[in-house]
């Protein structure tokens, strides 16, 4: 399965936008790009996903590069509740072989 | 109402014992999963179960056996527990397996922290 690479950690000031990058240079044409986040001592929570086009929902936006080899999760205004580990994963035909990497630990500074 | 629930939240046991973790989802989903999150925080899928069809991850030891009495429940039974089984186990569900594209989002339970002494 294609792998993803993310920075280990990032910081953001509260109420500022946050751009979380993910590289997936070996992505295949059928791979979907998913983002999940995990708050401390909780299970992962779905954030957003996409295939080729940019996506928006109430939580975030997903910007996908034209060649699909990278993507960026955008939190428009970071809050303290957004402090979590953010995972970028790829899936094709379900989650059967998915491994979430160590993700990006986002720290939000008041 | 909790969408995906797991019991127990914590489980401490001795090596060699057999234990079970229960999972229930009230979302009406067809597909359920078990994940293991190790001490390095890698979260890896162990099993997926869709409408009575079990899909096994080949790297999972056969001491681990999922059991699904009905579509809303997927329990994990572990035989002959080993120190390396200590981890947090998460149950999850999704509307479908996403095989037709669209890749349904997963809903995760709160996790069960298993400690093997």
């Amino acid at each position: 399965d294609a792998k993803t690479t993310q920075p280990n950690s990032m910081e953001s000031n509260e109420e500022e936008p946050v751009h979380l990058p993910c590289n997936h240079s070996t992505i295949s044409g059928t791979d979907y790009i998913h983002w999940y986040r995990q708050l401390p001592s909780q299970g992962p929570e779905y954030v957003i996903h996409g295939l080729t086009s940019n996506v928006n929902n109430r939580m975030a936006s997903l910007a996908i590069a034209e060649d699909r080899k990278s993507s960026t999760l955008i939190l428009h205004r970071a809050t303290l509740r957004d402090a979590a580990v953010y995972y970028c994963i790829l899936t094709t035909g379900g989650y059967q072989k998915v491994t979430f990497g160590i993700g990006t630990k986002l720290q939000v500074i008041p | 109402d909790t969408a995906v629930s797991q019991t127990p939240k914590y489980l401490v046991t001795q090596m060699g014992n057999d234990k079970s973790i229960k999972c229930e989802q009230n979302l009406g989903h067809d597909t359920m999963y078990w994940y293991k999150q190790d001490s390095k925080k890698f979260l890896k899928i162990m099993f997926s179960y869709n409408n009575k069809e079990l899909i096994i991850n080949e790297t999972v030891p056969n001491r681990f056996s999922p059991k699904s009495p009905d579509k809303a429940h997927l329990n994990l039974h572990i035989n002959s527990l080993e120190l390396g089984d200590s981890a947090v186990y998460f149950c999850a569900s999704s509307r479908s397996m996403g095989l037709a594209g669209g890749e349904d989002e997963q809903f995760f339970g709160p996790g069960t922290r298993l400690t093997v002494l």
Side-chain angles (χ1 to χ4, degrees):
Chain A
D1 286 324
K3 297 280 189 277
T4 62
T5 305
Q6 299 175 252
N8 288 346
S9 63
M10 290 184 66
E11 281 185 4
S12 173
N13 292 320
E14 198 176 7
E15 299 194 0
E16 289 188 356
V18 182
H19 290 232
L20 298 164
C22 182
N23 287 321
H24 28 78
S25 58
T26 59
I27 191 171
S28 73
T30 55
D31 281 334
Y32 281 78
I33 303 161
H34 294 253
W35 285 82
Y36 283 77
R37 71 181 186 182
Q38 187 172 19
L39 279 66
S41 300
Q42 294 188 27
E45 172 189 33
Y46 169 83
V47 178
I48 200 166
H49 79 278
L51 183 62
T52 56
S53 303
N54 294 344
V55 184
N56 299 299
N57 65 21
R58 62 175 180 82
M59 288 182 72
S61 296
L62 176 60
I64 301 173
E66 197 169 333
D67 63 5
R68 301 208 328 125
K69 293 186 177 182
S70 65
S71 61
T72 302
L73 178 70
I74 303 166
L75 307 178
H76 296 287
R77 288 183 65 197
T79 69
L80 296 179
R81 291 176 54 195
D82 292 322
V85 177
Y86 287 79
Y87 298 99
C88 167
I89 62 170
L90 305 178
T91 66
T92 296
Y95 292 86
Q96 283 87 323
K97 294 184 179 180
V98 166
T99 296
F100 290 58
I102 59 173
T104 297
K105 185 173 185 177
L106 175 66
Q107 183 178 359
V108 180
I109 302 168
Chain B
D1 280 343
T2 303
V4 181
S5 59
Q6 296 179 228
T7 54
K9 189 170 175 63
Y10 300 96
L11 183 55
V12 181
T13 187
Q14 300 286 333
M15 264 197 315
N17 285 349
D18 302 338
K19 290 293 179 185
S20 293
I21 306 171
K22 296 185 177 181
C23 177
E24 177 181 2
Q25 54 97 2
N26 62 7
L27 298 167
H29 287 168
D30 285 343
T31 308
M32 296 184 72
Y33 312 82
W34 277 107
Y35 283 83
K36 178 182 180 180
Q37 187 167 42
D38 60 26
S39 57
K40 296 182 180 179
K41 301 297 184 184
F42 286 104
L43 185 64
K44 190 169 183 178
I45 193 165
M46 300 174 69
F47 304 100
S48 55
Y49 207 105
N50 184 69
N51 281 331
K52 299 183 181 180
E53 180 184 359
L54 174 64
I55 298 173
I56 299 173
N57 184 317
E58 294 175 358
T59 64
V60 177
N62 58 15
R63 298 182 295 103
F64 291 79
S65 56
K67 294 189 184 349
S68 180
D70 56 58
K71 202 170 74 166
H73 296 84
L74 182 63
N75 304 323
L76 182 64
H77 189 75
I78 314 170
N79 288 328
S80 302
L81 278 156
E82 300 177 358
L83 293 177
D85 297 332
S86 296
V88 181
Y89 291 85
F90 289 99
C91 176
S93 73
S94 63
R95 186 179 54 174
S96 72
M97 291 197 74
L99 296 175
E103 304 295 358
D104 294 326
E105 65 181 275
Q106 291 187 315
F107 292 79
F108 282 80
T112 296
R113 182 175 292 277
L114 171 65
T115 302
V116 182
L117 303 175

